Amino acid sequence: MGDPGTTPPSPDPRVGLRAGVTDAGEASWNLRLISNTPQPEGFVGVTNSDLAFSGDLVFQGNYNGFMVWDVRNPARPALVTRYLCPASQSDISVFRNLAFVSGEGTSGRLDCGTQGVSDPVSADRLRGIRIFDISDVRNPRYIANVQTCRGSHTHTVVVDPNDQDNVYIYISGSARVRPEQELPGCSALAPDEDPNSALFRIEVIRVPLANPQESRIVTSPRIFSGLTAPPRRDAEGNVTQALDRPGPNQCHDITVFPDVGLAGGACEGYGILLDISDVMNPRRLSAVADANMSYWHSATFSNDGRAVLFTDEWGGGSAARCRDTDRYEWGANALFTIEDGEMVFQSYYKMPAPQTAVENCVAHNGSPVPIPGRDVKVQAWYQGGVSIFDWTDPAKPFEIAFFDRGPLDAERLRSAGPWSTYWYNGYIYSSEIARGFDVLELLPSGFISRNEIDAAKTVIWSEYNPQMQVQMVWPASFSLSRAYLDQLERSRGLPQPRIDSLRMELIRIEGMPVAQRGNLLTQVATQLGPEAGASSDAAKVGLLVQSLQALAGAQQ
Amino acid sequence: MQGMIPHHAQALRMAALVPDRSQRREIRVLAERMAVAQGDEIELMRQWLGDRDAEVPPADATHMRMNHGGMVHDMLMPGMLTEEEFTELAAARGDDFDRLFLTRMIQHHLGAILMVDDLFASPGAAQEDFVFKFASDVYADQTTEIRHMNVMLSRIP
C-alpha cells in the first residue's frame, strides 16, 4: 500500500463514464469543478477555442467570434461581452487595450458576416489577424487587420523588453498558401524557385501601441533555412544521423519565454529552439525530431528555462487517440532537457486513462501551475479531460490530479472536451469545445500541500497570454516558506524532528507582533543556513533560507 | 470525401504489407501509425457523408465511382497505385520493398495534397469548419510524413 494521498484511484474512474452533453458522468481526483457556464446564444453548437486573461476578465475564442467573462466570482462567471465575428480558430490574445484574434479558415470575412466566402479568390476574405480596441471591453471596436499568406492558425504576442513603443506578434499556421490574386505577393513555390515564397518562414507583425492601425508584417524570418533534418531518435531510442534534407516549412505554434530569451517552435515534424533576444529576428539554436512524434503542436518551458516539453497533436485533435489500443508515446508530450542549446530527450507523458473511440483525445494546450520549486503543468486533452502532472524531473513525469467527463455522444465521435486549460491567479480555467466555460480548483493531496497551493496563489498577474510564458516569482510569505518545508519533508531533505521544530517556530513567529518577526526570522534563517551542507536536498534548503530572509525583510 | 475514401483505403492496404516485408523499425512504426490515422479518417469521412445522405463508399473501396451522364465508371484518384503497381510492391522484399514502399507512398501522399489543392480551388468549397479542418489536417499530416519518408528513403543503401 502506498500513501493514500499519492495512490491514484483504482480502477481509474475516468473509464466508463456516462455520455451526455449536460449530464455526462464526471470523475475527478485532487481537482474540483467550481462552475460550468454554457456558451451564450450565437455561439451554441460552435467550437470554443483558446483563452486569454486580463485582470478579472477571461477572453474565450469561439469559431463564431469571442466572449468575455468576468470571473470575480469563479462560481458564477458573468458574461460581459459576446462579439460575433466568425473565424477559425479565433485563438485570442490581449495586450493592454488591444485584443488579437486569429483567422485561418477560408470562410472568415472582413465584415464579420456569417455567410462565408464562396469564391476561391475574394476581396471579402480575412485570413490573418483581426485587431480590436477593448478600452471599453463591453463594446470592442474592430480597428484593423493584418492579412497573411497562410492565415493565422495560432499566434503569439511577444514583448520586447527593449521596446516600449511596440508589441510583436509571431504568426503560425499550417494551412495552404492563398492565391496570389487574393493577396499579392503570396507564393507557394519552393524558396529556391521563388525567394519570396510564403513557405519555410514565420511572419512577425509589429503593432505600434500608439497607432495600432499601422500594424504590419515587418519581418518574415526564415528560421528553417539551412536546416538539415536534425538527428532523429527512432522508435528504439537510437539516434540516427542528420541528413541534408529540407526541414519543416511552417510552425503550428510558438511559445516564447522572453525572460530567458528563448522560444520553442512546434513546427510540423520538428521541435525547434529559438533565440529571441532580437525579437524581430529569431534565430534557430537547435532542432529535434522523434519517430514517435507525429505533429509537433506547442511547447512549455520549465520555470528556469532548462527543460522544455513539446506536445504532439497527432490527428489534429479530431481523432480518438487515447484508446487502449493507442500507444502511450503517440499523441503525447515529449520532455527534453536543454543542454548547451541542444534538446536532449528524457521521456514521454500522456494522460494515462484509456478513453472511448467516440472521444477525440490527444495532447493539447496547458500552462505551468506556479508551485514554488517544482515544475507542474495543467493540460487539456480534449475529451480525455484535464490532467495535471509534475515534471520537475523531466525523466520521470507523474500525474497528480485530473478531471474528466464522459463522451458528448455515446454513439459517435462529436468534437468536445477541454481545448485549453490554464492556471491564472489561483484558479484553473478551461475552454470546453462544446460545453462552454469551466472553472476548477486544485485541491491539496499527498502530492501538493495546502501550503504549496497557497504559495501558488500569491503569484498574481495583471495579464496573461499562455503562448508567452512568464517566469514565475514568488513574493515572500509564510506559505512559501512552509511550502519549501513540506517539500523537504517529502524529499527527506532534513530530519523529521528538525522539520517539526521549524514548523512550530514559524507558527510561533507568525503569532508575534509584526515588529518582532523580522529578527526572529533572520535568526531561524541564519541557524538553518549551515545545515544545507549536510542535506541530500541542499538546493531546497537554500531556497527555504532565502525565503525566510525575504520574509524577514518584508515584516515592516 | 467520396474520392478520398478509396485513396485512404489503398494507403491502408499498402501499410498492411509492411509487417511481413520490412525489417526497418522506423518503416514499421510509420506504417502502424498510418494504419491508425487513415483508418480513423475513413470513419470520419463516412460519417460526414452519411450525415448528408450522400453515397458512402465502403471503407475498403478501391476506386472512385464517377457518374458521367448516366455512364458509371470507376477511376483512380491522384497518386493511387494501379493494381499492377500494387502487385509489384507486394512481391518485393527487404531493401527493395522499403525503397518501393516509400517511393509509392510519397507519390500517394502527393496525390492527397493535390486533392486538397483542388478542393480549395473550387467555388464554395471548405466553407464548413469541419471540412476546412479535415482537409488542412490531411495537408499538414501528409506533408510532414512526406518529409520523414524522404529522409528514410535517402538512408536505404
Side-chain angles (χ1 to χ4, degrees):
Chain A
M1 273 294 287
D3 176 346
T6 57
T7 307
S10 178
D12 195 308
R14 288 171 283 191
V15 176
L17 290 170
R18 185 182 67 247
V21 179
T22 56
D23 59 346
E26 290 176 3
S28 61
W29 180 50
N30 300 335
L31 202 53
R32 186 169 70 91
L33 180 70
I34 297 177
S35 61
N36 166 257
T37 315
Q39 60 260 51
E41 202 190 318
F43 297 83
V44 177
V46 181
T47 298
N48 289 317
S49 61
D50 207 15
L51 301 173
F53 305 88
S54 177
D56 295 320
L57 301 174
V58 182
F59 292 72
Q60 184 177 25
N62 175 286
Y63 280 22
N64 262 1
F66 64 89
M67 295 159 270
V68 186
W69 303 96
D70 180 332
V71 292
R72 273 176 294 186
N73 180 357
R76 288 183 69 90
L79 187 70
V80 174
T81 303
R82 59 190 178 117
Y83 195 97
L84 199 65
C85 187
S88 65
Q89 315 183 104
S90 288
D91 280 2
I92 186 164
S93 297
V94 289
F95 187 80
R96 298 182 195 161
N97 66 320
L98 299 174
F100 308 107
V101 179
S102 278
E104 181 184 46
T106 45
S107 58
R109 296 182 60 91
L110 282 168
D111 62 7
C112 292
T114 55
Q115 67 271 46
V117 187
S118 64
D119 291 342
V121 173
S122 169
D124 297 328
R125 180 171 284 127
L126 175 282
R127 292 182 68 197
I129 291 282
R130 302 187 195 270
I131 303 178
F132 296 88
D133 183 330
I134 51 165
S135 303
D136 175 3
V137 75
R138 288 175 188 279
N139 297 294
R141 286 195 304 123
Y142 187 7
I143 55 170
N145 299 294
V146 180
Q147 298 262 15
T148 65
C149 290
R150 306 187 76 173
S152 167
H153 188 66
T154 66
H155 67 268
T156 306
V157 171
V158 193
V159 172
D160 181 347
N162 303 314
D163 182 351
Q164 305 303 310
D165 300 328
N166 301 288
V167 68
Y168 295 83
I169 302 173
Y170 290 174
I171 298 288
S172 310
S174 43
R176 295 168 61 269
V177 177
R178 59 207 285 187
E180 210 208 341
Q181 300 88 318
E182 185 167 283
L183 189 62
C186 291
S187 161
L189 293 172
D192 51 1
E193 295 169 54
D194 180 353
N196 293 318
S197 170
L199 304 175
F200 298 95
R201 72 184 195 198
I202 62 168
E203 317 283 2
V204 180
I205 291 173
R206 183 169 61 204
V207 181
L209 295 172
N211 199 359
Q213 286 85 350
E214 298 297 309
S215 301
R216 62 183 182 87
I217 296 171
V218 284
T219 55
S220 300
R222 294 207 176 275
I223 57 171
F224 314 113
S225 69
L227 178 67
T228 52
R232 186 177 148 90
R233 253 176 37 82
D234 68 20
E236 284 159 332
N238 305 312
V239 176
T240 47
Q241 234 1 80
L243 284 158
D244 187 19
R245 291 276 166 181
N249 79 44
Q250 185 54 278
C251 296
H252 179 282
D253 212 333
I254 300 170
T255 298
V256 296
F257 197 0
D259 295 328
V260 297
L262 290 177
C267 312
E268 297 186 348
Y270 301 84
I272 292 183
L273 194 64
L274 298 167
D275 176 339
I276 56 157
S277 41
D278 177 356
V279 169
M280 283 192 354
N281 297 292
R283 191 171 60 84
R284 188 179 75 247
L285 293 173
S286 59
V288 280
D290 189 302
N292 286 316
M293 297 284 278
S294 159
Y295 196 79
W296 298 58
H297 177 276
S298 54
T300 301
F301 288 92
S302 64
N303 197 46
D304 61 7
R306 289 158 73 175
V308 63
L309 169 165
F310 282 96
T311 62
D312 175 10
E313 195 190 26
W314 182 33
S318 42
R321 293 288 153 77
C322 306
R323 297 159 295 194
D324 53 8
T325 52
D326 291 312
R327 294 198 189 191
Y328 181 80
E329 62 273 24
W330 288 5
N333 302 327
L335 282 56
F336 300 85
T337 49
I338 301 173
E339 296 169 24
D340 298 327
E342 298 287 329
M343 289 173 279
V344 181
F345 174 81
Q346 300 296 325
S347 69
Y348 299 104
Y349 175 80
K350 187 175 185 179
M351 185 285 301
Q355 303 287 302
T356 64
V358 290
E359 289 170 285
N360 51 317
C361 178
V362 75
H364 210 228
N365 295 343
S367 78
V369 177
I371 305 295
R374 298 170 64 179
D375 286 300
V376 174
K377 180 173 174 166
V378 59
Q379 187 176 14
W381 290 80
Y382 293 112
Q383 292 204 65
V386 174
S387 176
I388 302 185
F389 59 98
D390 182 301
W391 64 298
T392 309
D393 177 355
K396 290 184 191 135
F398 56 93
E399 186 170 52
I400 56 185
F402 60 71
F403 173 76
D404 186 24
R405 292 187 176 99
L408 188 70
D409 187 315
E411 302 298 323
R412 50 180 290 176
L413 196 158
R414 287 170 55 207
S415 180
W419 173 291
S420 294
T421 306
Y422 303 126
W423 173 284
Y424 174 69
N425 293 353
Y427 290 94
I428 292 165
Y429 297 95
S430 188
S431 178
E432 223 288 356
I433 289 175
R435 297 178 176 109
F437 180 56
D438 288 333
V439 188
L440 300 114
E441 185 175 29
L442 182 58
L443 303 176
S445 67
F447 293 113
I448 296 188
S449 67
R450 165 55 61 197
N451 293 320
E452 288 175 290
I453 293 175
D454 288 347
K457 288 184 175 182
T458 65
V459 178
I460 299 293
W461 292 332
S462 58
E463 194 171 274
Y464 180 45
N465 295 305
Q467 286 71 27
M468 182 168 75
Q469 210 171 316
V470 181
Q471 199 154 37
M472 299 172 290
V473 179
W474 292 267
S477 70
F478 279 93
S479 298
L480 179 63
S481 298
R482 288 185 175 122
Y484 289 139
L485 261 180
D486 293 348
Q487 291 171 10
L488 282 164
E489 181 175 36
R490 228 178 270 131
S491 69
R492 301 178 207 275
L494 285 175
Q496 191 64 45
R498 182 62 174 132
I499 285 170
D500 293 339
S501 75
L502 284 165
R503 282 194 177 129
M504 291 305 296
E505 196 68 354
L506 286 181
I507 291 170
R508 193 176 69 84
I509 296 173
E510 199 176 10
M512 308 278 272
V514 174
Q516 296 175 32
R517 291 180 189 166
N519 283 339
L520 293 167
L521 286 164
T522 304
Q523 275 174 29
V524 176
T526 309
Q527 269 178 17
L528 185 60
E531 293 171 41
S535 168
S536 57
D537 197 353
K540 196 53 65 67
V541 176
L543 283 173
L544 174 57
V545 170
Q546 279 172 30
S547 77
L548 291 166
Q549 287 162 342
L551 188 58
Q555 307 298 319
Q556 318 277 342
Chain B
M1 295 284 180
Q2 284 166 336
M4 196 64 101
I5 289 174
H7 190 272
H8 272 46
Q10 191 180 59
L12 291 186
R13 282 178 70 209
M14 292 168 72
L17 297 175
V18 168
D20 291 338
R21 291 171 179 77
S22 176
Q23 299 304 316
R24 282 193 168 73
R25 174 90 180 146
E26 58 180 1
I27 291 180
R28 296 166 71 98
V29 169
L30 175 82
E32 187 186 337
R33 190 195 279 285
M34 278 179 188
V36 175
Q38 303 214 12
D40 285 352
E41 286 174 5
I42 287 173
E43 283 318 303
L44 273 180
M45 289 188 278
R46 297 186 71 213
Q47 184 175 295
W48 187 86
L49 288 167
D51 289 349
R52 278 150 193 82
D53 294 325
E55 190 186 332
V56 184
D60 57 354
T62 54
H63 291 77
M64 159 115 168
R65 190 136 275 219
M66 295 287 281
N67 190 331
H68 279 298
M71 289 274 287
V72 175
H73 60 106
D74 288 343
M75 64 175 274
L76 287 177
M77 298 310 291
M80 283 179 73
L81 277 56
T82 61
E83 269 318 294
E84 293 74 44
E85 288 172 321
F86 190 89
T87 309
E88 186 196 356
L89 176 65
R93 293 291 185 279
D95 283 353
D96 289 341
F97 172 82
D98 289 352
R99 214 175 289 118
L100 201 55
F101 175 79
L102 291 171
T103 310
R104 296 262 157 89
M105 192 57 96
I106 290 167
Q107 160 205 330
H108 195 268
H109 275 38
L110 286 169
I113 289 165
L114 212 65
M115 290 165 71
V116 173
D117 282 343
D118 287 348
L119 171 78
F120 282 101
S122 314
Q127 290 296 296
E128 199 185 316
D129 285 331
F130 173 82
V131 178
F132 177 80
K133 180 163 172 46
F134 180 81
S136 297
D137 285 348
V138 167
Y139 175 83
D141 278 6
Q142 304 217 357
T143 40
T144 303
E145 280 180 357
I146 287 171
R147 256 175 264 285
H148 282 169
M149 288 191 285
N150 269 317
V151 171
M152 291 182 204
L153 192 58
S154 61
R155 284 207 196 102
I156 299 173

